[in-house]
Amino acid sequence: MTAAASSRWAGAITRTSNDQWRCGQRNLLDARVGLQRARRTIQSRLAAPVAGRRGRVRGYASQAERFAKQIRVQHLEARLREVEARLAQNRVSICRGGRKLARLSQALGRSTGPLTRADWRARWESARWFLTADGEAECRWGNGTIRVHPEEGWLELRLPTPLAHLSNTIGRAATYRLSCPVAFTYRRAEWAAQAGSGAVRYDIVYEPAKGRWYVDASWRLVNRPAPSVEQLCRHPTLGVDLNAEHLAAWVVDHCGNPVGAPHTIPLALEGLPATIRDGRVRQAVTTLIHLARQNGCRSMMIENLDFSDARQIGRERLGRGHRGKLFRKTVSGIPTRQFRDLLVGMAANAGVWIISVDPAWTSVWGGQHWQAPLKHSTPSSVTVSRHHAAAVVIGRRGLGLGARRRPGVPRAHRRMGKGELPARPDDRVLGREGPGPPGGQRAAAPPRKTRLAERIRPGDQVAQDRPVPPVSADRR
């Protein structure tokens, strides 16, 4: 079929295969980085004595745990050698239709679920089918292979040479027009404008559970120059704190003051299928964008969270025992990458810019400096949590301000005590003042104390500074 087809269909088949191969290669590279990081972390702890320390690295609590980690290192090294051998041979794993669906076929005979062999076969074949065509700006309606008319609602397919006898458009090129109407309901105006002036890509998929065919349209937006951070900081912003079960947000003006009431957007993603989780995250992002546009915000501040290595070294860095297990479960439940990708893409379409900030101590400083004052300033019916205070700190940090308010305001509204560092770098005084990071001085760099100056102590003033001995009072 590829050899006898036109260059458009052959290119679509080849491009999708190349895309899957590149995706598999990226997965292998990520696996190698994670295995190397896990091996390096465990080996550093194995070098420390049992129940002791080697510098800042803490050893394992018992000899049995240390022995188990030695076995773990050997297992990681074996997997790392396998991954490096596959990368050297350019051999990646590709499964059209999805590996999860392929593994599901092995449990059909043992499970008592509603999925039968016929249902699985229908899902498997539909997942392996694809009909896609990239857009072409020089062609009419933005595509030369699949055309959809925005007003009349028909869809035409450009047939390859082996299927030219199936054409139902007499007197024209070998095309096939569907008898059923095709229409877009979501963002129809934008699609019609793009089809009339630019390139549009179409993907045709089949849903066996519903027995319907669907057409997806996609296009590339025009690159717009990003404004500078200084320009965005002149407008209000929306600080967002991402958590496992909800999103906490608060609007912050350009001076760093919270405006209005806090906002809580529930997620509740635990134990749900992937499609429902994607829909809830997308709905949460849509709510954030609506909040930003309603309050005149041109930007949103989020934490630059990255838990990509939590799967490999989470047991070494995120605690031990029952408490550490609960914390790792909480971390794994935060949709960091999915939330970030959706937020960046959807915010770009809405004209809202995303600024990522350092996530260090946002929750601790928010609870320490902002939670209590915000409770007094908001009505009693509104609950101000520690996460809402963290959203304020995130917004202030994105604006270039600190977690604590600078001095010079009335004492009742002051968020910092005497001797603490001011919040803005231009007024920051030299020296080691203030309480430092939460957790004591262990969290900060060890202070370097300056050695006392060598001073020449005063000797006999009678002989050095005066010509004659002073006259004492009793002598007078």
Side-chain angles (χ1 to χ4, degrees):
M1 186 68 182
T2 305
S6 61
S7 60
R8 291 174 178 171
W9 290 112
I13 297 173
T14 307
R15 180 185 53 78
T16 53
S17 300
N18 292 338
D19 291 345
Q20 288 198 353
W21 189 90
R22 293 192 184 94
C23 182
Q25 188 183 33
R26 288 195 300 268
N27 293 338
L28 275 181
L29 293 174
D30 293 342
R32 182 175 65 176
V33 172
L35 291 173
Q36 290 176 349
R37 187 176 301 173
R39 182 186 62 175
R40 184 168 56 251
T41 303
I42 296 178
Q43 286 179 348
S44 64
R45 296 193 64 182
L46 288 175
V50 177
R53 288 181 175 274
R54 184 181 179 184
R56 300 185 63 181
V57 180
R58 178 173 53 88
Y60 291 104
S62 63
Q63 187 66 33
E65 184 180 3
R66 188 176 187 276
F67 179 73
K69 294 300 179 179
Q70 289 177 344
I71 300 178
R72 173 68 176 169
V73 167
Q74 296 176 3
H75 178 67
L76 293 176
E77 291 177 348
R79 290 177 55 190
L80 182 59
R81 286 193 297 266
E82 179 184 358
V83 170
E84 290 179 346
R86 293 178 60 182
L87 286 174
Q89 300 173 4
N90 288 331
R91 181 171 54 90
V92 300
S93 177
I94 297 175
C95 181
R96 288 189 177 272
R99 183 177 300 177
K100 182 178 180 180
L101 189 58
R103 291 179 176 176
L104 186 60
S105 64
Q106 303 175 4
L108 289 178
R110 300 189 303 268
S111 62
T112 59
L115 185 64
T116 61
R117 174 68 64 175
D119 296 338
W120 178 87
R121 175 60 60 180
R123 291 175 57 183
W124 175 254
E125 292 179 353
S126 64
R128 293 170 62 87
W129 288 342
F130 68 94
L131 191 61
T132 179
D134 291 337
E136 301 174 65
E138 62 273 5
C139 295
R140 191 176 183 183
W141 305 120
N143 201 307
T145 305
I146 303 176
R147 294 181 180 178
V148 182
H149 198 284
E151 299 177 358
E152 300 180 6
W154 49 258
L155 186 146
E156 285 185 352
L157 291 172
R158 182 70 177 267
L159 298 177
T161 304
L163 303 179
H165 62 280
L166 300 177
S167 175
N168 59 0
T169 55
I170 303 175
R172 296 176 50 191
T175 58
Y176 185 86
R177 177 177 293 188
L178 300 182
S179 58
C180 59
V182 177
F184 290 94
T185 57
Y186 177 67
R187 301 176 65 177
R188 174 182 174 84
E190 298 182 27
W191 162 72
Q194 180 67 23
S197 59
V200 182
R201 167 178 169 163
Y202 294 102
D203 294 90
I204 303 178
V205 296
Y206 176 66
E207 291 290 343
K210 301 179 180 179
R212 300 183 60 181
W213 291 84
Y214 293 90
V215 181
D216 297 332
S218 58
W219 59 89
R220 180 176 297 178
L221 298 177
V222 180
N223 293 330
R224 294 177 297 173
S228 62
V229 180
E230 291 75 12
Q231 295 177 355
L232 295 177
C233 291
R234 299 172 185 172
H235 302 270
T237 186
L238 181 66
V240 181
D241 181 45
L242 176 61
N243 303 281
E245 297 294 334
H246 69 280
L247 299 175
W250 207 314
V251 179
V252 180
D253 61 7
H254 67 282
C255 296
N257 301 316
V259 179
H263 304 276
T264 303
I265 304 173
L267 289 177
L269 306 178
E270 185 178 359
L272 298 178
T275 54
I276 300 180
R277 290 199 305 267
D278 296 344
R280 292 198 176 185
V281 174
R282 188 179 300 273
Q283 179 63 31
V285 172
T286 304
T287 306
L288 288 177
I289 294 176
H290 288 338
L291 286 176
R293 300 182 68 174
Q294 290 175 1
N295 294 274
C297 302
R298 293 193 57 189
S299 61
M300 279 193 287
M301 310 295 179
I302 63 172
E303 294 177 302
N304 188 17
L305 296 173
D306 188 10
F307 298 132
S308 58
D309 57 346
R311 182 183 300 272
Q312 296 291 346
I313 61 175
R315 297 180 180 179
E316 310 296 330
R317 298 287 181 84
L318 301 181
R320 302 172 61 252
H322 181 68
R323 182 178 180 183
K325 185 177 181 179
L326 291 179
F327 182 68
R328 292 195 302 269
K329 184 179 179 181
T330 302
V331 168
S332 62
I334 301 178
T336 53
R337 179 179 298 182
Q338 180 185 13
F339 172 76
R340 181 174 61 246
D341 295 343
L342 279 176
L343 182 62
V344 171
M346 297 177 65
N349 297 335
V352 180
W353 301 93
I354 305 300
I355 300 177
S356 60
V357 301
D358 187 4
W361 312 112
T362 53
S363 298
V364 177
W365 278 342
Q368 181 180 357
H369 301 288
W370 286 94
Q371 185 177 4
L374 290 175
K375 284 184 177 180
H376 293 291
S377 60
T378 54
S380 58
S381 59
V382 179
T383 303
V384 179
S385 64
R386 188 180 183 183
H387 303 292
H388 294 130
V392 175
V393 175
I394 293 171
R396 290 177 57 88
R397 184 171 292 179
L399 294 173
L401 308 176
R404 293 161 288 185
R405 294 188 62 175
R406 61 186 305 179
V409 297
R411 183 174 298 275
H413 303 282
R414 187 175 296 179
R415 303 294 193 269
M416 55 183 295
K418 182 179 180 181
E420 297 186 14
L421 290 175
R424 297 185 179 179
D426 51 352
D427 295 332
R428 199 178 293 275
V429 297
L430 299 178
R432 191 176 179 82
E433 300 182 6
Q441 299 297 338
R442 294 180 301 172
R448 298 181 179 179
K449 295 184 179 180
T450 306
R451 184 167 57 91
L452 295 178
E454 296 181 356
R455 299 179 179 178
I456 301 176
R457 297 187 178 279
D460 189 359
Q461 296 183 1
V462 175
Q464 294 180 3
D465 300 334
R466 294 189 177 95
V468 294
V471 179
S472 59
D474 53 333
R475 286 185 181 181
R476 291 180 185 177

Coordinates of all heavy atoms in Angstrom, one line a residue, residues 2 88 109 113 116 149 174-175 207 211 214 233 269 283-284 300 442:
T2 N 2.0 1.3 0.8 CA 2.8 2.4 0.8 C 3.5 2.7 -0.5 O 3.7 3.8 -0.9 CB 3.8 2.3 2.0 OG1 3.1 2.0 3.2 CG2 4.7 3.5 2.1
A88 N 22.6 1.4 22.5 CA 23.8 1.2 21.5 C 23.3 0.6 20.2 O 23.9 0.9 19.2 CB 24.9 0.4 22.2
G109 N -9.1 -14.4 30.0 CA -9.6 -15.7 30.5 C -9.7 -15.9 31.9 O -10.5 -16.7 32.4
G113 N -14.5 -9.7 34.6 CA -15.0 -8.4 34.3 C -15.9 -8.4 33.1 O -16.1 -9.5 32.4
T116 N -15.1 -8.8 27.2 CA -15.0 -10.1 26.5 C -13.9 -10.0 25.5 O -13.3 -9.0 25.2 CB -16.3 -10.5 25.9 OG1 -16.7 -9.5 24.9 CG2 -17.4 -10.5 27.0
H149 N -15.4 21.3 4.9 CA -16.0 22.6 4.5 C -16.6 23.2 5.8 O -17.5 22.6 6.4 CB -17.0 22.5 3.4 CG -17.3 23.8 2.7 ND1 -18.1 24.8 3.3 CD2 -16.8 24.3 1.5 CE1 -18.1 25.9 2.5 NE2 -17.4 25.6 1.4
A174 N -9.5 12.0 -7.8 CA -10.0 10.8 -7.1 C -10.2 11.1 -5.6 O -9.3 11.0 -4.8 CB -9.0 9.6 -7.3
T175 N -11.4 11.5 -5.3 CA -11.8 11.8 -3.9 C -13.1 11.1 -3.5 O -13.9 10.7 -4.4 CB -12.0 13.3 -3.7 OG1 -13.0 13.8 -4.6 CG2 -10.7 14.1 -3.9
E207 N -14.4 5.0 17.8 CA -14.7 4.6 19.1 C -15.6 3.4 19.1 O -16.8 3.5 18.8 CB -15.4 5.8 19.9 CG -14.5 6.9 20.2 CD -13.4 6.6 21.2 OE1 -13.6 5.6 22.0 OE2 -12.4 7.3 21.3
G211 N -19.5 3.2 18.8 CA -19.9 3.0 17.4 C -19.9 4.2 16.5 O -20.7 4.3 15.6
Y214 N -14.9 10.0 14.9 CA -14.7 11.3 15.3 C -13.5 11.9 14.5 O -12.6 11.2 14.1 CB -14.3 11.4 16.8 CG -15.5 11.0 17.7 CD1 -15.7 9.7 18.1 CD2 -16.4 11.9 18.2 CE1 -16.7 9.3 18.9 CE2 -17.4 11.6 19.0 CZ -17.6 10.3 19.4 OH -18.6 9.9 20.2
C233 N 4.8 42.1 35.6 CA 4.7 42.4 37.1 C 4.0 43.7 37.3 O 3.8 44.0 38.5 CB 6.1 42.4 37.7 SG 6.9 40.8 37.8
L269 N -8.1 13.0 42.3 CA -7.7 12.1 41.2 C -7.4 10.7 41.6 O -7.2 9.9 40.7 CB -6.5 12.7 40.5 CG -6.6 14.2 40.0 CD1 -5.3 14.6 39.4 CD2 -7.8 14.4 39.0
Q283 N -10.4 20.6 33.5 CA -11.4 21.5 34.0 C -10.8 22.4 35.1 O -11.2 23.6 35.1 CB -12.5 20.6 34.6 CG -13.7 21.5 35.3 CD -14.4 22.3 34.3 OE1 -14.5 22.0 33.1 NE2 -14.9 23.5 34.7
A284 N -9.9 21.9 35.9 CA -9.2 22.8 36.9 C -8.4 23.9 36.2 O -8.4 25.1 36.6 CB -8.3 22.0 37.8
M300 N 0.2 34.0 35.5 CA -0.1 33.1 36.6 C 1.3 32.6 37.1 O 2.2 32.3 36.3 CB -1.0 32.0 36.2 CG -2.4 32.3 36.1 SD -3.5 30.8 36.0 CE -3.2 30.4 34.3
R442 N 20.5 25.0 60.4 CA 21.0 23.8 59.6 C 20.6 23.9 58.2 O 21.2 23.3 57.3 CB 20.5 22.6 60.3 CG 21.0 22.3 61.7 CD 20.4 21.0 62.2 NE 19.0 21.1 62.2 CZ 18.2 20.1 62.5 NH1 18.7 18.9 62.8 NH2 16.9 20.2 62.5

